[in-house]
Amino acid sequence: MAERNLQTVRDLRRSNRSLLLRRLYFGGPLSRQDLIHTTSLSAASVSNVIADLIEDGLVVEAGALESEGGRPRILLRVNSSALHVVGVDVGETRVRVELFDLDLEQLAETDLPLDAGGFTAPEVAARIRTGLAAVLADEPPGGPALLGIGIGVPGVVQHSPDAVVHGQTTGWDAVPLERMLREFTDLPLFIDNGAVTMGQAEMWFGAGRGSRNTVVALIGSGVGASVVTAGSPYRGSTSSAGEWGHTTVQVGGRRCRCGSRGCLEAYIGAESVIARYLETTGDPAVRDAPDEESALAALLARADSPAARAVLDDTAVHIGAGVANLINLFNPERIVIGGWAGLLLGAGLLPQIRETAREYALHHPFSQTRITLGDLGPDAVTRGAATLPVDRFLAAGGSRARVETAQPAPAAGR
């Protein structure tokens, strides 16, 4: 009984630490009085837990506010320099690695292109290893400890218990990515679908902030989505929910990379948009571009030409129809369009996308949904990947030991 009571006390203390850390992380700086008023904790509990967090170096004072007839209120915030964290975006054409502080402000970054046909597990693992060494090269000895590495990948990620990646469009069949990365790092690893990581970044810091029911759509070489319901990503029974790109928009339509026909990705993914344009013109600026991002940018630069305009208008219609499907299925407060290609396309096509969505969606849910572009730019997947270890750290009440021994599914809400 004594052991059980001790465990209960420890659990309660960890829960209180987590609650206050989250309030300060997402809402700080705040005073102790603010924390008392916005939580169910007593003044004594807040005082004791904050004292512990300050002693651990996780919380620091951030100035003071004058108060009428009393002592100034001391403001508190999470110590952003206490720990560093790495985020990795595994794209189909390159691997991006970034180093962040605890507030997820970028400290270092590197972009490592993948050779044509180089999207193999060994090549990706090698790029991650090189990128990790590059961003950590200037870290001083005895500097902030690394909390962990978050990694966003295309495909379905299952934990059994190590992360295994299934990517039908990329040819990855149960790739043991976590085991491969363990060959060169013993840091805590958090691997998830790239659309889910981007969704969490937009919910924490970007266009989804303040909402509870949002769909964050990623349009890159491929297409995916993070469906956030009641503040958490909906994963389905085997973690494959959100494969928006493989919903059928035309029976018997264009061949998709997944092997099926008529998938949304076959009409709005960057690879498909470029291919459809080149089917009608041999434009060398697009055909001979050094990479997919440059090719799409060149196509958009020709938006006034009949061939480019026809492809872009058709792309806007298909994105809008896909957005309408999301509205009718999930009734979200917001739909956020992101990903490097989504941001490039959306900059000019968003009005057409909204109008098409209005035509195809049910009127009432459409009127309640805001359709917008992501706020965090093309590296949102990388930043979102870094939220995975940070989220676990906050849930563990600031205990690094618990980050290293448990990896629950991330919660997009706050």
Side-chain angles (χ1 to χ4, degrees):
M1 181 64 71
E3 182 178 346
R4 179 178 178 182
N5 288 339
L6 179 60
Q7 188 66 33
T8 301
V9 170
R10 287 175 177 168
D11 290 343
L12 178 61
R13 192 166 191 81
R14 183 171 62 250
S15 175
N16 290 345
R17 283 171 62 101
S18 176
L19 175 60
L20 294 181
L21 268 178
R22 283 188 177 276
R23 288 297 168 92
L24 290 171
Y25 189 82
F26 294 111
L30 298 169
S31 69
R32 290 172 177 80
Q33 291 84 351
D34 294 329
L35 293 171
I36 293 167
H37 294 153
T38 59
T39 69
S40 59
L41 302 182
S42 67
S45 293
V46 168
S47 179
N48 290 336
V49 171
I50 290 298
D52 285 348
L53 292 172
I54 290 175
E55 184 177 352
D56 292 344
L58 300 179
V59 169
V60 293
E61 294 184 353
L65 286 177
E66 295 294 333
S67 59
E68 296 182 4
R71 292 185 299 176
R73 291 187 297 159
I74 302 300
L75 295 176
L76 306 164
R77 63 171 176 81
V78 171
N79 182 8
S80 61
S81 63
L83 295 163
H84 289 172
V85 61
V86 173
V88 179
D89 173 10
V90 176
E92 295 185 31
T93 59
R94 51 97 177 108
V95 174
R96 184 174 182 83
V97 183
E98 297 184 41
L99 178 69
F100 300 91
D101 67 14
L102 199 52
D103 280 341
L104 297 187
E105 294 295 327
Q106 187 195 91
L107 302 173
E109 57 87 19
T110 187
D111 219 25
L112 303 165
L114 289 165
D115 299 330
F119 194 80
T120 65
E123 286 291 329
V124 167
R127 294 297 192 279
I128 293 174
R129 182 175 189 169
T130 300
L132 187 61
V135 299
L136 297 179
D138 294 330
E139 286 288 90
L146 276 173
L147 184 56
I149 306 171
I151 304 168
V153 298
V156 178
V157 180
Q158 290 187 303
H159 296 272
S160 54
D162 289 344
V164 174
V165 183
H166 304 265
Q168 191 163 318
T169 60
T170 56
W172 282 26
D173 183 15
V175 169
L177 183 60
E178 183 172 352
R179 191 178 70 200
M180 296 173 68
L181 300 182
R182 284 272 167 243
E183 294 179 5
F184 60 82
T185 182
D186 57 1
L187 288 167
L189 294 171
F190 296 76
I191 303 173
D192 210 333
N193 173 267
V196 172
T197 73
M198 187 185 82
Q200 183 147 293
E202 290 288 352
M203 294 297 289
W204 279 25
F205 305 112
R209 189 176 176 121
S211 65
R212 298 281 291 167
N213 297 281
T214 292
V215 179
V216 182
L218 185 156
I219 305 176
S221 302
V223 176
S226 176
V227 180
V228 179
T229 61
S232 297
Y234 175 71
R235 295 181 175 276
S237 61
T238 59
S239 298
S240 68
E243 290 292 343
W244 179 51
H246 300 291
T247 55
T248 303
V249 293
Q250 185 172 332
V251 174
R254 291 180 64 87
R255 177 71 69 180
C256 179
R257 301 184 304 164
C258 73
S260 186
R261 286 188 177 274
C263 294
L264 181 63
E265 183 176 300
Y267 296 88
I268 72 171
E271 181 178 304
S272 298
V273 173
I274 294 164
R276 288 192 293 132
Y277 174 69
L278 291 177
E279 287 169 7
T280 62
T281 174
D283 187 344
V286 176
R287 184 192 63 214
D288 301 332
D291 52 53
E292 206 167 66
E293 296 178 23
S294 300
L296 184 59
L299 192 165
L300 287 165
R302 286 153 173 70
D304 290 337
S305 73
R309 188 73 262 160
V311 170
L312 293 173
D313 286 346
D314 187 66
T315 300
V317 167
H318 280 90
I319 296 175
V323 166
N325 288 338
L326 294 174
I327 292 171
N328 292 343
L329 281 170
F330 299 109
N331 185 210
E333 302 166 60
R334 302 177 199 175
I335 291 180
V336 178
I337 298 172
W340 68 266
L343 295 175
L344 280 175
L345 291 166
L349 301 181
L350 191 58
Q352 291 172 266
I353 292 169
R354 286 173 174 153
E355 178 58 23
T356 303
R358 184 193 64 78
E359 292 177 8
Y360 285 97
L362 294 171
H363 295 166
H364 180 69
F366 173 81
S367 71
Q368 306 300 309
T369 304
R370 177 186 173 197
I371 303 168
T372 187
L373 297 181
D375 287 343
L376 302 181
D379 66 343
V381 173
T382 320
R383 197 175 185 192
T387 69
L388 304 182
V390 173
D391 186 62
R392 176 57 192 158
F393 177 71
L394 296 175
S399 167
R400 288 181 59 211
R402 286 188 167 269
V403 172
E404 295 168 1
T405 57
Q407 297 183 25
R414 304 182 333 213

